[in-house]
Amino acid sequence: MSMRKELWFGFSIMGLVLLSIVWMLLGVDKVTHGHQGLLMLSLVVIAIMLGFPTAFTLMGMGMIFTWLAYDGDIQRTLDLMVQAAYKSMANDVLIAIPLFVFMGYLVERANLIEKLFKSMHLAMARVPGSLAVATLVTCAIFATATGIVGAVVTLMGLLALPAMLRAGYSTSMAAGAITAGGCLGILIPPSVLLILYGATAGVSVVQLYAGAFFPGLMLAGLYVVYVIIMAKLKPQWAPPLSAEERRVELPALTRALPADTASYAPARLLQALKGKRNAQVPTGHVLRQLAIVVLPGLLFVLLAVGTWRSVTTVEVEAQYDIQPIGAESSTSAPAEGGLQEPPTDGGLQEPPTEGGLQEPPVEGAVQEPPGAEPPAAAEPAGAPAAITAQAPAERKPAPTWWWVSFAVLGALVAVFYLFLSFARLEIFKMLLASFFPLVVLILAVLGSIVFGLTTPTEAAAMGSLGGFLLAAAYRRLSMDVVKESVYLTAKTSAMVCWLFVGSAIFSAAFALLGGQELIEKWVLSMNLSKVEFMVLSQVVIFLLGWPLEWTEIIVIFMPIFIPLLDHFGVDPLFFGLLVALNLQTAFLSPPVAMSAFYLKGVAPPHVTLNQIFAGMIPFMGIQILAIFLLYQWPDIGLWLPQTLYGR
């Protein structure tokens, strides 16, 4: 039956193409090339919705309509195809895609997500809707390390969904948290979408990564706030964890101190170090526990001191004071034929020699003026310039944002030490083993990109090495893991690169036919304001996210929108951030909703697609709210690029 369906789809699309060709050939005097371009765009969308491969549909349609535009000249058609393909594949930004994907698959196979989810849900056990909140936080962290939506949704479906269902969570709430959290990888760097958009729009991927950081955190924060509010309003949707689910097992040596989960860890460890302890507990164990206790405070002090010096230092620029060559040269008139300079004090004076500038008689030496005093030992008298000594760097007051940030961070550290029981110490150790390795990898990769230390490609290579080291540290690195990661990376990268080639051929054909010009004239004829254009474009992208995936929207429709941005005065970087927020609907909106199908593939049989779709709808509303907030306050996305790069 499926074979018949595919054949029917194939014959249908071929019939549409043939009818279109016949119609254009017969009515060539009535149909312009621009209308042919619009027809090509419509046929591509129909073919993709019928299930044909996107990349080859774009290439096929582009070649057919290019052949029609060139009146059947196959040589020029093939030339255009080759040039468009070569131009797209010569883009070195795309090299980062396989490296980031490879890093993601290695991190996924390091089995960190299971440890991360367990430590997160224990750390947030007293927060309303703790399992759903821990799911969203875990998804956000893991999305930052991998950027692979399907992998995050599948793994969280295996780990978090059974745990939430056992705890009595609503199926819709659990499914919505997993699917929405898994889609954060579309927006949060290192996002493949941002790389594709940057390559398509000609925008710096580094600036896109910097701009997407805070909108991604904002969206994740809105998700968490929604879950907490709903858990308070409707506790039956997200009941609190039982005492058994919150229980933390202490190591045998810690119990032998003696200590229980409620004991205050710093005081008990100090007592044990002074000798008031069980002889069975080695001193080394106590010292290791104390080192872990001291670690947050030490990191806070180092971070505060290091950042304070950087935000309060005023760098004084070197000032160059150029002195006249001699006393006579400053008063004597310039000779005829020479370069005449105004006798400005401190300016550069010309020597009073006929014929212009005179070279010194000795090669490599500076001639002293007649009657000059012997040069001082520190500085030659005949030196044409002297650099004024600079005062040491001054200090300026620390900015308000620094004080606020470290006041909040200091309060968190104080709360940590105030309520540090042995149970919380064990949870902190679990976070050290699962959360902090990912944080180090993320900071190394994204920090080096954002602060301009490396290009995205170099940072992706460094991230791949970090994935290797993580997998090896957790004893998950084997030849089978490497083979599988390489195979999946090649498969994903080939899909993206073929898609980009198909997009280049399609865009070249569309521009050749004049479809872009026709759309521009139509949009400009509506006399839209900037706000109206932004609303219209985002509504179109939102609606396209229902039948199409984000890759198809980026490669097909972004080349149509981007040329219009200059006319309406829209920053392509800001537009890209809005698009990245908006395109998460491609994974959350039926009938495509790929994250729903990823989750359904690993969910228990009684979890239906309708329940998953129902759980997605509130999170789609939150996405719309996030787009509105970003549009109203663009500094959410533009502050970091402006601060770092002065755009």
Side-chain angles (χ1 to χ4, degrees):
M1 185 67 183
S2 62
M3 187 65 178
R4 290 181 180 178
K5 187 177 181 181
E6 290 177 4
L7 288 173
W8 185 84
F9 280 164
F11 285 127
S12 299
I13 196 65
M14 288 177 64
L16 284 172
V17 172
L18 290 174
L19 285 175
S20 303
I21 293 173
V22 171
W23 173 61
M24 286 184 291
L25 291 176
L26 293 178
V28 72
D29 56 333
K30 299 178 182 178
V31 180
T32 65
H33 282 317
H35 293 95
Q36 294 177 16
L38 295 180
L39 180 62
M40 177 181 67
L41 180 63
S42 304
L43 289 175
V44 164
V45 174
I46 293 171
I48 292 171
M49 292 177 65
L50 289 175
F52 285 86
T54 304
F56 298 105
T57 302
L58 290 171
M59 285 188 280
M61 290 290 184
M63 289 184 64
I64 291 172
F65 280 83
T66 301
W67 177 74
L68 290 173
Y70 283 141
D71 297 325
D73 190 338
I74 190 65
Q75 182 62 44
R76 296 175 69 190
T77 302
L78 293 175
D79 287 344
L80 181 67
M81 184 190 73
V82 171
Q83 291 170 6
Y86 179 78
K87 180 181 177 182
S88 63
M89 298 313 297
N91 191 340
D92 57 358
V93 174
L94 298 179
I95 302 174
I97 293 177
L99 292 172
F100 274 131
V101 172
F102 185 59
M103 178 190 78
Y105 282 122
L106 283 174
V107 171
E108 173 197 342
R109 278 149 183 75
N111 203 26
L112 281 177
I113 195 168
E114 183 176 357
K115 298 181 178 67
L116 182 61
F117 174 68
K118 183 173 178 58
S119 58
M120 280 293 173
H121 100 256
L122 287 173
M124 301 177 179
R126 299 188 181 276
V127 177
S130 57
L131 282 177
V133 172
T135 298
L136 289 168
V137 174
T138 303
C139 286
I141 296 169
F142 213 67
T144 309
T146 64
I148 304 170
V149 172
V152 177
V153 173
T154 301
L155 288 173
M156 293 307 295
L158 292 170
L159 293 173
L161 185 60
M164 284 191 277
L165 294 179
R166 283 196 305 269
Y169 274 60
S170 163
T171 304
S172 298
M173 171 68 80
I178 293 172
T179 52
C183 292
L184 288 171
I186 298 175
L187 175 62
I188 298 178
S191 167
V192 176
L193 181 148
L194 295 177
I195 296 176
L196 279 181
Y197 177 83
T200 303
V203 180
S204 168
V205 177
V206 175
Q207 295 185 12
L208 281 170
Y209 276 5
F213 184 73
F214 285 118
L217 291 182
M218 176 187 70
L219 185 60
L222 290 174
Y223 287 163
V224 169
V225 169
Y226 165 75
V227 168
I228 292 175
I229 291 174
M230 295 310 297
K232 294 291 287 184
L233 296 178
K234 295 185 177 294
Q236 67 274 17
W237 286 13
L241 293 177
S242 64
E244 179 63 25
E245 291 170 324
R246 296 199 306 266
R247 189 167 61 89
V248 178
E249 289 287 343
L250 296 183
L253 289 176
T254 302
R255 292 198 303 269
L257 282 175
D260 56 24
T261 55
S263 301
Y264 186 62
R268 188 69 193 90
L269 289 171
L270 288 174
Q271 290 174 2
L273 193 62
K274 292 177 182 178
K276 302 175 181 179
R277 60 177 175 82
N278 192 313
Q280 297 177 350
V281 181
T283 305
H285 173 75
V286 179
L287 290 175
R288 286 192 296 270
Q289 304 304 306
L290 280 173
I292 295 173
V293 169
V294 172
L295 185 60
L298 182 62
L299 289 176
F300 172 78
V301 172
L302 292 176
L303 187 62
V305 172
T307 55
W308 181 82
R309 290 180 63 87
S310 63
V311 300
T312 59
T313 301
V314 178
E315 294 186 2
V316 181
E317 296 183 359
Q319 298 178 359
Y320 297 91
D321 187 11
I322 303 177
Q323 304 293 341
I325 293 178
E328 289 86 353
S329 62
S330 62
T331 56
S332 56
E336 271 185 42
L339 295 174
Q340 297 188 2
E341 296 291 333
T344 310
D345 289 342
L348 185 64
Q349 305 296 330
E350 297 297 327
T353 2
E354 202 171 355
L357 296 175
Q358 183 180 12
E359 293 294 329
V362 182
E363 187 174 347
V366 179
Q367 184 181 15
E368 295 182 8
E373 292 292 330
E379 183 178 348
I387 302 176
T388 305
Q390 300 302 315
E394 298 178 357
R395 295 287 178 187
K396 64 179 179 179
T400 305
W401 64 265
W402 186 90
W403 288 109
V404 172
S405 301
F406 276 90
V408 173
L409 190 58
L412 292 176
V413 173
V415 169
F416 171 81
Y417 282 113
L418 191 61
F419 299 101
L420 185 57
S421 63
F422 275 101
R424 293 188 175 92
L425 180 60
E426 289 303 314
I427 295 171
F428 179 67
K429 288 160 64 177
M430 294 170 65
L431 288 172
L432 278 178
S434 58
F435 173 70
F436 288 99
L438 284 178
V439 169
V440 171
L441 178 64
I442 292 165
L443 291 178
V445 173
L446 297 185
S448 60
I449 294 175
V450 169
F451 289 103
L453 302 177
T454 63
T455 64
T457 302
E458 293 166 346
M462 187 171 60
S464 298
L465 177 61
F468 260 109
L469 296 177
L470 278 180
Y474 287 89
R475 299 180 181 179
R476 302 281 297 179
L477 187 63
S478 64
M479 187 56 67
D480 291 338
V481 167
V482 174
K483 284 182 180 178
E484 188 178 3
S485 299
V486 169
Y487 170 74
L488 292 173
T489 300
K491 184 178 177 181
T492 305
S493 303
M495 181 270 293
V496 172
C497 291
W498 274 116
L499 198 62
F500 209 73
V501 170
S503 166
I505 295 172
F506 174 83
S507 300
F510 193 70
L512 178 66
L513 291 168
Q516 177 67 44
E517 183 181 356
L518 195 63
I519 290 177
E520 287 183 16
K521 288 181 179 178
W522 173 67
V523 172
L524 297 179
S525 67
M526 293 190 288
N527 294 322
L528 299 174
S529 65
K530 178 181 176 180
V531 175
E532 292 169 341
F533 169 74
M534 294 292 285
V535 171
L536 176 64
S537 61
Q538 295 305 316
V539 168
V540 170
I541 292 169
F542 181 85
L543 295 177
L544 288 173
W546 289 24
L548 301 176
E549 293 188 36
W550 66 265
T551 50
E552 296 155 357
I553 297 172
I554 287 288
V555 299
I556 297 174
F557 291 95
M558 285 305 103
I560 297 175
F561 283 111
I562 289 166
L564 294 167
L565 299 182
D566 284 339
H567 176 79
F568 292 99
V570 179
D571 185 353
L573 172 61
F574 179 62
F575 188 76
L577 299 179
L578 289 173
V579 169
L581 266 175
N582 201 343
L583 279 181
Q584 296 193 74
T585 57
F587 273 88
L588 286 181
S589 55
V592 176
M594 291 305 298
S595 58
F597 294 102
Y598 290 142
L599 182 59
K600 176 59 181 171
V602 296
H606 62 84
V607 177
T608 64
L609 272 175
N610 287 338
Q611 290 174 318
I612 298 174
F613 287 151
M616 289 177 170
I617 291 174
F619 292 94
M620 288 178 60
I622 294 172
Q623 287 178 359
I624 297 173
L625 174 62
I627 294 172
F628 174 77
L629 292 176
L630 180 60
Y631 183 77
Q632 286 295 113
W633 291 281
D635 283 345
I636 296 173
L638 298 180
W639 176 80
L640 191 57
Q642 288 171 350
T643 303
L644 294 176
Y645 314 116
R647 8 178 12 267

